[in-house]
Amino acid sequence: MCGIFGYVGDESAGPIVYRGLETLEYRGYDSAGVALRSGGSDELTIEKRAGEVAALSVPTVPDAISAIGHTRWSTHGAPTDENAHPHTGCDDRLAIVHNGIVENYEAAKADLDEHTFTSETDTEVVAHLLERELDSLEESGPDSPPRDGSPGRPDGGTASREGESADAPDSSDVAWRVRRALESVVDRLDGSYAIAAIHERDDCIVATRNESPLVVGHGSNAAFLASDVPALVEHTREVTYLDDGDVAVLTPDSVSIYRDGRRVEPSISTVEWDADAAQKGGYDHYMRKEIHEQPTALRQALGSRVDVDTGTASLDVDFPQGYLESVEEVQFLACGTSAYAGRYAATLFESLADVRATSVTASEYAFTGGRDPWRTLAVAVTQSGETADTLSALREARGAGARTLGVTNTLGSSVTREADDALFIRAGPEIGVAATKTFASQVSTLALLAIAVGRERGTLTAATAREHLEDLTALPGAIQQVLDREEQIRAVATTFADSDAFFFVGRSYGYPVALEGALKLKEISYDHAEGFPAGELKHGPLALVTDETPVLAVLTDGAGRRESLNNVAEVQARGAPTIGVTTAGVDAGSLDVAFEVPDAGVFSPLVANVYFQLFAYHVANEKGRSIDKPRNLAKSVTVE
Ligand code: F6R
């Protein structure tokens, strides 16, 4: 997670950035910090400390009109003062803040042996790389950007990139050098990042992003930068959503965006949100925050467990030697959203590991039979690790002699104590009653298990495993693309909010997503919503379909698109509005609304699910529902 806020303008920067951090605190509260530039002394003042934003006093450097700030949700390194952002190199010339995970930071650090590090973070490595790049730019010639219309440096040097707009000089020498240094450093980074940098010698902020959000706010004699729009709306509604690879240079009177080294016109959108509502704790609800946390949650779930090159998924579970080879059935025991994750996983296990797999509603497990406990792996899937029905099914399976595995988000929960083994989905805390990010993390973690089992049993080749692992590791970026389209989804949800009922359909991996889409909508909007296998509509539910009942269809890869399109045509013939999620670039017929996802193979429906989450959220929000605490429900259900 982590929140970034930046300001450069004609007012005192400290209090403005501090306020921005307070608004962004939902993104992380392990530590907070700011770097402010004093115009009088040409130096940076950095204040940072572990704990919430409130632990930091409002920074007061009277002549500072530019500053960047950060709220941290720890990934690399404990939540300490030292690991708090901003970070610098060996000197305090330049400071940066970062949101994301730089995966190759250790390799980069090994190449910086003359540098001294003061934190355990991946971010500090980036600060040192930038410092080294600035040193070399300073050493290599006069410190001036092109100002005379020529594409190169004024001394005739060649530091300018080919294609750079000749009539668009940088705002200053310093801005030019920092931009160049940042472009060069991020070329060598793997992973996700939103990075903002500030230099002691100029009132400008230089920023870029890859798979982590970053939005520029356009003010009057001011420019803002934030991880998310809610922190901007009290200052401006005119924003530019940066694309991956964009570099933004903010000064008090200009915002310049560079793409592939060429300056491009910023595309400005007007935010429609009411400023007061948007201020409520940053995100207006935990649920929305948690939907937006999915890219980070997935990186945590997958991170160190995946080796794409060798097609290996390593999970921290020690099954007895030879156990996985002998398993004949995997049973997923769970409730609600976790049960739909189990259903998705069952199809993955059958297809990737060629082992019989079933998903059983935990509260029904006691009434099922026909299992051979000695050859069955019973997997209890539970976010909280405390769901009574699931624990009861787990005990039933264990009592019958099955080996058990708890897949959970909660360290130390009952399931971790009662199951033979535990596997953590690493999604981070989920507070909204409606499960969102944990569904994505459950499916992804179980996919790794399916791959590991398939490899162990020799049913999955390394090459095929590699393809699936590539699709999995691309999920954070693919989901971010959906999140970046939230405004479009909100508009569609508003249009259909008054419908009589909603039907969700999908096949194969699209079916559990249809069930989950319907569950999300019903539990927070209180509307009637049902999920079906697309092919089942004609066997009964079609009688309910009218022009007042939108049908939402998963039409991506991995969801039986060709056949499902016939079912979509059947509901269209009955007048139903259709909203489909398709794979980008694939013909999906004549839907009333078509949303796209990048091709993520069998995980494409998991990306489609993010549209359904946001759709449900915005329908419920339109109706003024109690989104984080829906009536009659609770987060952790500890009664049978
Ligand atoms: C729905 C939801 C519930 C839970 C279910 C199981 O949004 O949150 O359906 O998925 O109560 O909870 P856990 O996963 O904690 O066992």
Side-chain angles (χ1 to χ4, degrees):
M1 278 62 90
C2 300
I4 288 175
F5 195 87
Y7 170 80
V8 49
D10 55 7
E11 293 180 48
S12 180
I16 294 174
V17 170
Y18 187 86
R19 171 82 195 112
L21 294 185
E22 283 181 323
T23 315
L24 288 171
E25 194 163 27
Y26 58 84
R27 298 186 65 89
Y29 33 85
D30 287 336
S31 65
V34 289
L36 307 98
R37 173 179 182 268
S38 158
S41 57
D42 263 0
E43 64 184 6
L44 296 181
T45 300
I46 295 176
E47 292 177 19
K48 56 182 189 171
R49 65 171 52 212
E52 298 181 4
V53 175
L56 197 72
S57 49
V58 181
T60 48
V61 177
D63 63 347
I65 57 163
S66 57
I68 53 175
H70 188 264
T71 58
R72 178 165 185 250
W73 192 88
S74 309
T75 56
H76 294 81
T80 60
D81 289 354
E82 294 73 29
N83 290 333
H85 298 211
H87 287 285
T88 64
C90 295
D91 61 40
D92 284 353
R93 223 181 328 164
L94 175 109
I96 66 163
V97 290
H98 163 224
N99 167 30
I101 297 175
V102 174
E103 278 152 17
N104 60 340
Y105 82 104
E106 276 171 334
K109 191 172 182 177
D111 192 35
L112 286 162
D113 46 7
E114 72 283 17
H115 287 242
T116 307
F117 290 84
T118 55
S119 80
E120 303 152 274
T121 62
D122 49 345
T123 307
E124 192 190 354
V125 176
V126 180
H128 284 268
L129 290 171
L130 277 169
E131 183 178 74
R132 188 172 68 178
E133 203 63 34
L134 279 175
D135 286 344
S136 83
L137 281 167
E138 278 164 11
E139 276 161 22
S140 65
D143 56 357
S144 298
R147 292 194 175 281
D148 57 358
S150 74
R153 296 165 61 100
D155 61 343
T158 56
S160 187
R161 281 189 180 196
E162 197 181 335
E164 181 168 358
S165 176
D167 58 355
D170 287 74
S171 57
S172 72
D173 303 351
V174 174
W176 177 78
R177 278 200 305 273
V178 175
R179 175 169 73 84
R180 278 303 167 69
L182 192 58
E183 285 168 343
S184 160
V185 165
V186 297
D187 262 359
R188 284 171 271 149
L189 300 183
D190 295 334
S192 64
Y193 46 79
I195 297 171
I198 189 169
H199 193 284
E200 64 182 5
R201 284 188 41 214
D202 192 22
D203 283 315
C204 72
I205 295 171
V206 184
T208 189
R209 67 160 268 179
N210 181 53
E211 295 183 11
S212 288
L214 209 49
V215 190
V216 171
H218 304 265
S220 140
N221 298 325
F224 305 84
L225 186 73
S227 296
D228 202 358
V229 166
L232 295 174
V233 287
E234 69 182 86
H235 304 290
T236 177
R237 285 161 183 260
E238 307 287 293
V239 303
T240 297
Y241 297 93
L242 296 184
D243 285 334
D244 280 351
D246 284 357
V247 179
V249 179
L250 280 57
T251 72
D253 48 22
S254 68
V255 170
S256 307
I257 309 287
Y258 297 84
R259 192 165 293 157
D260 297 326
R262 175 177 286 273
R263 188 159 153 189
V264 295
E265 257 326 288
S267 139
I268 299 179
S269 314
T270 304
V271 176
E272 287 176 20
W273 288 330
D274 171 67
D276 288 343
Q279 292 304 331
K280 211 166 114 193
Y283 279 111
D284 15 22
H285 297 97
Y286 282 114
M287 180 185 175
R288 184 166 164 257
K289 168 191 157 218
E290 287 153 6
I291 291 171
H292 278 262
E293 285 171 348
Q294 287 176 108
T296 304
L298 288 184
R299 278 191 196 96
Q300 287 161 192
L302 301 170
S304 56
R305 291 166 162 169
V306 172
D307 185 341
V308 176
D309 292 341
T310 58
T312 314
S314 357
L315 294 156
D316 16 356
V317 182
D318 286 326
F319 292 108
Q321 186 75 25
Y323 174 73
L324 293 178
E325 279 168 72
S326 68
V327 165
E328 288 184 356
E329 178 169 359
V330 181
Q331 295 182 332
F332 295 95
L333 321 176
C335 305
T337 293
S338 297
Y340 301 148
R343 194 180 278 268
Y344 204 125
T347 309
L348 284 169
F349 269 71
E350 295 210 322
S351 141
L352 309 190
D354 195 21
V355 61
R356 189 167 66 242
T358 49
S359 167
V360 188
T361 302
S363 54
E364 290 292 308
Y365 189 69
F367 310 111
T368 62
R371 48 187 170 264
D372 175 357
W374 304 108
R375 299 220 160 80
T376 300
L377 173 64
V379 184
V381 186
T382 164
Q383 187 283 130
S384 60
E386 303 293 349
T387 298
D389 288 328
T390 306
L391 291 173
S392 164
L394 173 82
R395 286 173 204 135
E396 179 89 17
R398 204 164 184 217
R403 189 170 183 88
T404 55
L405 173 68
V407 176
T408 184
N409 196 31
T410 314
L411 292 168
S413 59
S414 299
V415 80
T416 65
R417 291 191 299 271
E418 295 199 28
D420 294 313
D421 296 292
L423 178 59
F424 294 97
I425 62 168
R426 303 178 177 171
E430 185 177 72
I431 296 157
V433 164
T436 51
K437 63 177 177 174
T438 53
F439 177 75
S441 300
Q442 285 167 335
V443 172
S444 304
T445 306
L446 290 168
L448 292 183
L449 186 62
I451 290 168
V453 172
R455 296 290 291 129
E456 183 91 11
R457 292 164 67 84
T459 51
L460 190 67
T461 64
T464 311
R466 249 194 315 271
E467 281 169 24
H468 290 305
L469 290 172
E470 272 166 11
D471 286 338
L472 275 170
T473 50
L475 283 178
I479 287 177
Q480 188 61 51
Q481 286 185 34
V482 178
L483 296 173
D484 288 347
R485 288 176 205 144
E486 182 171 2
E487 185 52 31
Q488 200 190 334
I489 304 162
R490 189 192 65 76
V492 173
T494 305
T495 307
F496 291 103
D498 291 329
S499 303
D500 287 350
F502 299 81
F503 299 110
F504 290 73
V505 297
R507 291 173 185 245
S508 183
Y509 299 101
Y511 173 41
V513 165
L515 293 170
E516 171 60 5
L519 176 62
K520 246 11 25 139
L521 186 61
K522 74 179 90 167
E523 71 183 319
I524 61 166
S525 76
Y526 315 153
D527 281 320
H528 177 222
E530 283 190 72
F532 297 106
E536 272 296 293
L537 282 180
K538 57 186 178 294
H539 298 291
L542 203 53
L544 296 172
V545 169
T546 70
D547 58 1
E548 294 291 328
T549 59
V551 175
L552 291 91
V554 189
L555 299 168
T556 61
D557 288 5
R561 178 178 42 245
R562 193 177 54 75
E563 297 86 349
S564 296
L565 276 171
N566 292 335
N567 308 126
V568 166
E570 287 154 15
V571 301
Q572 281 178 320
R574 274 87 187 162
T578 51
I579 302 168
V581 186
T582 69
T583 300
V586 170
D587 178 22
S590 55
L591 295 158
D592 293 300
V593 179
F595 291 123
E596 289 190 344
V597 297
D599 178 5
V602 296
F603 305 107
S604 302
L606 199 55
V607 185
N609 186 52
V610 180
Y611 280 109
F612 292 168
Q613 292 172 337
L614 287 170
F615 182 84
Y617 173 83
H618 284 291
V619 168
N621 206 28
E622 182 71 16
K623 298 185 163 194
R625 301 295 192 223
S626 168
I627 289 177
D628 281 333
K629 295 176 194 156
R631 70 183 177 204
N632 304 339
L633 302 180
K635 184 75 183 154
S636 178
V637 185
T638 54
V639 289
E640 281 187 63

